[in-house]
């Protein structure tokens, strides 16, 4: 099972980015998917998660109303649309898969390689 994240980059504060995560080697629809992020010197933190069918989503308070997670099970992909970006959103963003719908890092057993998001002020 592999997850490949993409879409990171450098953007000015207030701008937008769309992250994508492509899955291969698994039955994508069997997994809840999540996005996490890790800033330098910080622990990895939860950003957003989406259920197997996409009917349920959860967000960290810090991104609620600005970020939107979505999935396309036909294309084995999950996306994170990030709007109104702030410098404090700067981090490496990781997608991950879990057999349970969770916001806890330890519940996700499959991880992508991460994509850097840098927001300049």
């Amino acid at each position: 099972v592999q997850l490949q994240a993409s879409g990171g980059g450098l953007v000015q504060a207030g701008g937008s980015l769309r992250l994508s995560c492509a899955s291969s080697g698994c039955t994508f629809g069997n997994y809840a998917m999540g996005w996490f992020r890790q800033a330098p010197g910080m622990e990895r933190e939860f950003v957003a998660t989406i259920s197997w069918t996409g009917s349920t989503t959860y967000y960290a308070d810090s991104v609620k109303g600005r970020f939107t997670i979505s999935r396309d099970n036909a294309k084995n992909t999950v996306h994170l649309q990030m709007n109104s970006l702030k410098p404090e959103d700067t981090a490496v963003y990781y997608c991950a898969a879990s057999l349970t719908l969770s916001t806890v890092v330890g519940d996700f057993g499959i991880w992508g390689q991460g994509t850097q998001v840098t927001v300049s002020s």
Side-chain angles (χ1 to χ4, degrees):
V1 177
Q2 289 188 328
L3 300 177
Q4 181 75 34
S6 62
L10 173 64
V11 64
Q12 289 187 333
S16 298
L17 282 174
R18 186 180 191 231
L19 305 184
S20 297
C21 177
S23 170
S24 62
C26 70
T27 304
F28 185 69
N30 287 350
Y31 292 88
M33 299 297 297
W35 286 97
F36 295 79
R37 66 187 181 186
Q38 188 166 17
M42 304 292 286
E43 293 188 352
R44 193 167 297 188
E45 66 174 5
F46 165 74
V47 175
T49 190
I50 188 167
S51 62
W52 306 263
T53 62
S55 60
T56 302
T57 57
Y58 295 109
Y59 296 92
D61 288 343
S62 59
V63 307
K64 203 171 292 182
R66 301 188 297 122
F67 291 10
T68 302
I69 189 171
S70 62
R71 67 189 295 162
D72 184 341
N73 285 351
K75 296 183 178 179
N76 291 351
T77 57
V78 61
H79 303 285
L80 185 69
Q81 177 66 43
M82 305 186 295
N83 298 329
S84 302
L85 282 161
K86 304 175 181 180
E88 50 263 44
D89 294 319
T90 295
V92 177
Y93 283 70
Y94 298 89
C95 61
S98 173
L99 293 174
T100 60
L101 183 61
S102 174
T103 64
V104 177
V105 170
D107 288 338
F108 287 77
I110 304 170
W111 292 83
Q113 87 288 2
T115 185
Q116 176 70 47
V117 171
T118 303
V119 184
S120 63
S121 56

